[in-house]
């Protein structure tokens, strides 16, 4: 299949993820935050991920500059990426709906913050991060390019491994025993596994 078709498929999915996030981004700006952890570091991590999941894929889609790093993956691998990304988008929508106004792009506690333990949160504590893992793997598969793949995985891993322990520490400080009990009943990003 022609490269342009893969680029169009990827762009449609990319725009869908933006549309899912858009209303939550707007609500986020309006709600009051009562505690924020390491704001500058968090903003820097988000910026890094934006390079890996927005800027680099867009350079690939709209220019020829990264073409020498193409991997020529077989179509079945690229279609698997499309299917998994589709699943990831449904998860993304569901997670945003469940987390509601408790969502934040950085580490923050909002006014009237509630601990969410239902929906996807019943099985894993970080379903949104599961979606981001699916995203970076799928953009690698769909666009079939070394730079797109490696930069996505690298920038996302940095945020994930730096933020996760801090996020759980913040949640324990805020919700105490309730969060510790919740941790005992759930896994991080893969139900029943990890
Ligand atoms: N790590 C979660 C949430 C990502 S958004 C996930 O992957 O789904 C990050 C914000 O969500 C954090 O600032 C924290 O305040 C909030 N948060 C994380 N887990 C939460 C939960 N179970 N209930 C309510 N808020 C949560």
């Amino acid at each position: 299949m022609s490269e342009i078709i893969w680029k169009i498929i990827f762009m449609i999915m990319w725009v869908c993820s933006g549309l899912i996030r858009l209303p939550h981004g707007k609500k986020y700006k309006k709600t009051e935050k009562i505690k924020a952890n390491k704001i500058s570091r968090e903003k820097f991590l988000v910026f890094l991920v934006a390079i890996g999941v927005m800027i680099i894929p867009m350079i690939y889609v709209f220019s020829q500059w990264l073409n020498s790093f193409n991997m020529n993956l077989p179509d079945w691998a690229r279609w698997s990426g499309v299917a998994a990304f589709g699943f990831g988008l449904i998860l993304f929508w569901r997670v945003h709906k469940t987390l509601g106004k408790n969502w934040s792009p950085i580490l923050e506690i909002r006014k009237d913050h509630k601990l969410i333990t239902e929906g996807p949160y019943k099985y894993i504590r970080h379903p949104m991060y599961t979606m981001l893992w699916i995203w970076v793997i799928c953009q690698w598969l769909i666009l079939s390019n070394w730079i797109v793949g490696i930069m996505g995985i690298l920038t996302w891993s940095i945020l994930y491994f730096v933020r996760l322990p801090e996020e759980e520490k913040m949640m324990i400080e805020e919700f105490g025993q309730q969060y510790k009990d919740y941790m005992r009943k759930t896994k991080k990003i893969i139900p029943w596994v990890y």
Side-chain angles (χ1 to χ4, degrees), residues 95 99 102-110 113-117 121 125-130 163-164 167 170-171 175 179 182 189:
V95 168
L99 196 56
N102 301 295
W103 172 74
S104 207
I106 57 174
L107 289 187
E108 282 174 330
I109 296 294
R110 318 278 288 266
H113 203 116
K114 282 193 191 68
L115 177 64
I116 304 295
T117 58
Y121 289 88
R125 300 192 288 284
H126 306 288
M128 197 167 287
Y129 300 161
T130 306
R163 180 189 279 185
L164 203 86
E167 182 167 332
M170 179 186 83
M171 296 303 279
F175 296 99
Y179 196 77
Y182 174 56
I189 54 171

Side-chain angles (χ1 to χ4, degrees), residues 21 37-39 41-47 49 103-108 126 128-129 132 155-171:
R21 167 130 309 165
N37 276 12
K38 307 209 165 112
I39 301 180
R41 189 204 67 185
E42 280 292 312
K43 285 189 175 164
F44 175 70
L45 290 175
V46 172
F47 169 70
V49 174
W103 172 74
S104 207
I106 57 174
L107 289 187
E108 282 174 330
H126 306 288
M128 197 167 287
Y129 300 161
L132 260 300
T155 54
W156 171 246
S157 315
I158 295 172
L159 183 145
Y160 177 81
F161 288 108
V162 173
R163 180 189 279 185
L164 203 86
E166 293 281 343
E167 182 167 332
E168 301 208 315
K169 198 167 132 233
M170 179 186 83
M171 296 303 279

